[in-house]
Structure formats: C-alpha cells, structure tokens
Amino acid sequence: MRPPTIQDVARAAGVGVGTVSRVLNNHPSVKPSTRESVLRSIAELDYTPNPHARRIAGGKSYTISVLLPVVTTEFYVRLLDGLETAFQEARYDVAIFPLLDRSRLERYLGSHTLAYQADGLVMATYNLTTLLTERRVKTQQPTVLVDAYAEGVDCAYMDNVAGGQVAGEYAATLPGAVYAIWVETELDQLFVTRVFEERRSGFLAALGAAGRPLAGEATAGFDPLTARRVAAELLDQAELPCTVFAAADLLAAALLDEVAARGLRIGEDVRVIGFDDQPWAAGRGLTTLHQPVESMGHEAATLLLSRLGGYKGPARARKFMPRLVVRETA
C-alpha cells in the first residue's frame, strides 16, 4: 500500500488541504473542532509529513515567507486563506512572520534573516514605497505586495480611495449629521499603512462634493474596550438622527453594541456604515463595503507563482474594487 498523503487526510477529515497544512503548522485560525477532526484523521491514517524529499530533489525550499502586521484580525486570517489556497495548490509551504512592531520590521530588512531564505516573499499592507526605492527591502528573490501598492513590484491591492468615496456618496444621501470613526495607525512612516488614510480621503472628498460637512470624527484602535469607549464618546456628542462611517467593521461592531446598550434604534436614530464585510457582518445586518480579501490574496499568490515559474516581464498591478452592500444598519 502507498503511504497516505495530505490529500488523503483532507478527504478523511472533510476539509481542504490548506486546513490540514494549518493544523500541521499549528496555525491559530483553525477552529478547535476542526483541528481535532484533522488530528484524528492523521492518527487513523498514520500520516507522517515528509517536507524534505521534494526540497532535496528540486534544490529549492518550496517555502514562501509572508510578512504581515498581525495574524489575529479577521482580515488577515481571510487574506492568509487566499494566499495559502493558491500556494498549497502549487505545493508550497507558507512561513508566516507577524511583524507586530517597528523593531521586527527593521530586523527583517536584513538579508540573512529566516524570512529571506524562502523561494519567494509576500509583504502585506505596509507602505514600503520608500524602502523599495532605497532598496532596503532585499528583492533578490521574487517579491509581491498584497493590500499595498508600489511602483516596480508585483502587487494586488484594494482601491481604498474608491471604497471611501462610495461610502461617502451613500452617507451623503442619508438624513441627519454625518460622523466618522477612523482606525488608529502607527505614526512612524516606516511602519505605516496607507489603507485607512486612503479610505478617509475618499470619504471626505465624496462628502465635500455633495456639500455635506463632517459633523465630527474620532479615532480608535482595534482593541475592543478602546473601540467601545470611543464609540460612546462619539455618541455622547452626536446630534441624532445621524450616520456614522466606521472605517473598519470591527469599529462598526463596537458602535452597534453601544447604540443597542443605549436603547437607540439602529438604522433610524443611528445609521452605521462599515468597511470590510467580515463574515459576521451579514448576521448583524451591517451595511458595509465588501472587500474580496480572499481573492486579493489568491491573486497575489498567483503573481508570485508566475515569477517562480519563470516570468521575467514588467511589474504587474491587480486592483480590486470594494462594493457597497446595503443592509439594515443603514
């Protein structure tokens, strides 16, 4: 009998190959029940991964390094799903490097760190234009940006300016004052993301074009307690009825909780527009901007795989457009 494969494990557990890989790599995004099912199938089939045979035969690592801010938010879990699906189909493993802070970014800029020993590199979200221009990011291996754009490098990114404009145009049609909650980002320009700045500029441009002022704004991080506190402070000074644009669904969720706690009517006293269309957004009736996050990740992986397959042409940019999904909250 032939030895069991990862595909056999996936079939036995009723999951995808990418999920089995995440269990083997102890990825935090796997649900406990799914992890238990996969581990049970691995034990029943007596499956043993052999990561070395193909690497020795091919003279390559068959590993892709992914540098990203964090792995704990739903956006990056979804992004990794898109990346890993494409890489697993091509039988590449994924090594994840959450940067978390400026010091780690600086460390990974060195050419001999583990992240650069892979066959290819994916860098997510960061404003790396200056670093790429100054050649501080070592690009001797194929590199792709995802959720970010820079000249001269393959990238798959979301048009966040257009998304902000769509949100602003829609908010301008609704009655009452308009407010906004923005996402707090790192002040250090080496470790900054343009994503939320672009959403803000698009939103304000659309409001201005419609002749609608922004009645007030606040800034919050993704910490649930902080987001809830900021939502409360905004509602304390808001003139009802009003519309609030939250630049990320996680902030919109905190706002919805605070509106409900005050006994206000969601969708009437306070209308809420989010941005992301997280998997739980439909269940909460959240009007939001849908981002095809998994598709963006998959496309970034496809661009990188084409480089690994021998493509040597000019840099390519793949732009994804958010779309408005109208639900009960606005």
Side-chain angles (χ1 to χ4, degrees):
M1 293 178 62
R2 65 173 177 82
T5 66
I6 192 171
Q7 287 82 7
D8 296 330
V9 175
R11 279 193 292 271
V15 299
V17 170
T19 301
V20 177
S21 176
R22 284 191 286 277
V23 171
L24 291 171
N25 288 292
N26 200 29
H27 196 285
S29 69
V30 181
K31 293 189 295 187
S33 59
T34 302
R35 187 183 304 277
E36 183 179 341
S37 175
V38 170
L39 291 175
R40 186 166 56 249
S41 296
I42 288 172
E44 291 171 354
L45 293 171
D46 196 25
Y47 169 71
T48 302
N50 181 9
H52 304 295
R54 188 169 64 119
R55 294 167 184 170
I56 293 171
K60 299 197 298 185
S61 73
Y62 286 95
T63 300
I64 304 297
S65 291
V66 179
L67 274 63
L68 73 174
V70 295
V71 294
T72 53
T73 68
E74 290 164 289
F75 176 88
Y76 289 109
V77 170
R78 293 172 61 195
L79 186 65
L80 284 170
D81 275 341
L83 289 166
E84 288 191 309
T85 297
F87 288 135
Q88 287 294 332
E89 289 169 356
R91 299 189 66 192
Y92 278 83
D93 292 325
V94 174
I96 300 168
F97 294 84
L99 296 180
L100 304 177
D101 57 32
R102 161 70 182 274
S103 63
R104 286 197 178 192
L105 176 60
E106 291 287 353
R107 188 161 73 250
Y108 288 134
L109 292 178
S111 62
H112 300 297
T113 59
L114 182 62
Y116 289 98
Q117 295 173 22
D119 296 331
L121 182 65
V122 178
M123 306 190 82
T125 302
Y126 295 112
N127 174 14
L128 297 169
T129 304
T130 302
L131 300 182
L132 290 166
T133 302
E134 296 174 354
R135 301 196 176 280
R136 293 186 60 200
V137 174
K138 311 297 183 181
T139 53
Q140 66 267 29
Q141 80 226 97
T143 301
V144 65
L145 302 185
V146 62
D147 193 38
Y149 173 83
E151 295 283 347
V153 62
D154 290 334
C155 49
Y157 66 100
M158 205 71 60
D159 191 335
N160 284 287
V161 174
Q165 288 174 336
V166 171
E169 289 167 359
Y170 186 62
T173 68
L174 300 174
V178 178
Y179 299 86
I181 302 178
W182 311 115
V183 177
E184 187 175 55
T185 56
E186 174 66 51
L187 295 178
D188 189 323
Q189 290 300 305
L190 268 182
F191 200 70
V192 75
T193 168
R194 290 179 174 174
V195 168
F196 302 109
E197 174 189 331
E198 291 173 351
R199 291 178 190 177
R200 184 176 187 273
S201 68
F203 184 80
L204 294 179
L207 278 189
R212 295 289 302 276
L214 185 65
E217 56 187 334
T219 303
F222 286 133
D223 172 68
L225 292 177
T226 302
R228 182 67 178 268
R229 175 181 56 77
V230 170
E233 292 171 354
L234 184 75
L235 289 177
D236 284 342
Q237 55 110 6
E239 180 182 339
L240 304 181
C242 69
T243 297
V244 183
F245 172 52
D249 281 354
L250 290 174
L251 303 186
L255 180 61
L256 291 176
D257 290 342
E258 183 63 23
V259 171
R262 295 181 180 219
L264 299 172
R265 297 168 298 173
I266 296 171
E268 295 185 42
D269 298 321
V270 181
R271 294 175 175 85
V272 180
I273 303 170
F275 201 118
D276 284 332
D277 200 19
Q278 298 287 8
W280 48 262
R284 299 201 66 172
L286 178 61
T287 292
T288 187
L289 275 296
H290 174 77
Q291 294 196 95
V293 178
E294 293 86 352
S295 297
M296 181 174 65
H298 195 281
E299 181 61 24
T302 301
L303 291 172
L304 185 56
L305 288 169
S306 73
R307 290 284 179 190
L308 294 171
Y311 174 77
K312 298 185 184 301
R316 300 152 295 174
R318 302 285 188 264
K319 180 166 66 175
F320 289 79
M321 299 296 293
R323 61 178 174 85
L324 181 67
V325 180
V326 178
R327 300 190 181 106
E328 291 85 353
T329 65

